């Protein structure tokens, strides 16, 4: 990102015009480097210079805010896009949902997921995974499971991240039976449960007083050559 900003300065020194593509690339570099403040500074600078941001520019800036734990700024940028007539795409929405998840704003995450569908933008696996994780953090196990089902209905293939978040949500909600059911479903789909998957299910069984099942899962985990040391939460 530092080299990208240096090149941007060099362009100005050489009298070269900085356009939306060069600014977008620099903002994206800042996003990848975890420099959300610099990303926003570049966004403001390009607007001052009369360079109109496009959906790529905004998506990179929103993602920078997401990585920096700035969910309020991410939502503000999403709103700014609309005011300027730039329609958010799946990447803009997904980054904003992920920002809400990291900020423990599960209601806002679900509202954004619904909004993107109403706007005609189909959520992808990243959108759903972020929303499920937001529900898990908010202790909303029923909503997490509902989203997992909705993914399947809409033809979005869930992965180990989707299931792990759902199992963790069930653990928090004391739903040991559903946690075990999810573990079985993962295996039916050919998704190999990992340490987090087993750990959450074992913890759910422990909370539910199902010590025999917890021991059985621990043995199953051992047989699958997973490290039992990662099963405690």
């Amino acid at each position: 990102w530092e080299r990208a900003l240096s090149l941007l300065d060099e362009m100005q020194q050489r009298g070269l015009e900085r356009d939306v593509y060069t600014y977008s690339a620099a903002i994206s570099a800042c996003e990848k480097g975890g420099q959300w403040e610099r990303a926003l500074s570049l966004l403001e600078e390009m607007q001052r210079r009369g360079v109109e941001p496009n959906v790529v520019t905004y998506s990179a800036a929103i993602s920078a805010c997401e990585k920096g734990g700035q969910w309020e700024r991410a939502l503000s940028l999403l709103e700014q896009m609309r005011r300027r007539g730039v329609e958010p795409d799946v990447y803009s929405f997904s980054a904003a949902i992920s920002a809400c998840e990291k900020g423990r704003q599960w209601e806002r995450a679900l509202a954004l997921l619904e909004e993107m569908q109403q706007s005609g933008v189909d959520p992808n696996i990243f959108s759903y995974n972020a929303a499920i994780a937001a529900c898990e953090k908010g202790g909303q196990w029923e909503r997490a499971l509902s989203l997992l089902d909705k993914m399947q209905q809409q033809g979005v293939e869930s992965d180990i991240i989707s299931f792990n978040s759902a199992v963790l949500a069930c653990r928090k909600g004391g739903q040991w039976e559903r946690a075990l059911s999810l573990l079985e479903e993962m295996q039916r789909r050919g998704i190999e449960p990992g340490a987090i998957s087993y750990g959450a299910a074992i913890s759910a069984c422990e909370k539910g007083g199902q010590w025999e099942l917890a021991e059985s899962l621990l043995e199953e985990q051992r047989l699958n050559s997973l490290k039992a040391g990662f099963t405690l939460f």
Side-chain angles (χ1 to χ4, degrees), residues 27-43:
I27 290 171
S28 183
C30 290
E31 174 260 322
K32 288 181 173 62
Q35 303 294 316
W36 67 268
E37 290 172 301
R38 285 186 169 89
L40 295 190
S41 177
L42 284 173
L43 185 63

Side-chain angles (χ1 to χ4, degrees), residues 160 163-165 167-168 171 176 179-180 182-184 186-188 191-206 213-233:
I160 191 168
F163 277 103
N164 280 350
S165 293
V167 176
L168 284 166
R171 175 186 71 103
W176 64 270
L180 293 185
L182 286 172
L183 210 59
E184 291 171 2
M186 289 176 71
Q187 294 166 323
R188 283 198 305 272
I191 301 172
E192 190 62 41
I196 292 174
S197 323
Y198 276 111
I202 289 168
S203 181
C205 289
E206 181 269 326
L213 284 173
E215 284 189 346
S216 176
L217 284 175
L218 195 61
E219 178 62 15
E220 182 181 321
Q221 182 185 21
R222 188 189 67 79
L223 292 174
N224 283 324
S225 302
L226 296 174
K227 296 179 180 180
F230 287 103
T231 63
L232 299 179
F233 285 77

Side-chain angles (χ1 to χ4, degrees), residues 18 35 47 55 68 81 83 85 99 124 133 173 175 178 202 224:
R18 291 182 288 187
Q35 303 294 316
Q47 291 169 323
V55 66
M81 288 180 74
R83 289 199 307 270
N124 61 15
Q175 302 294 315
R178 285 183 168 86
I202 289 168
N224 283 324

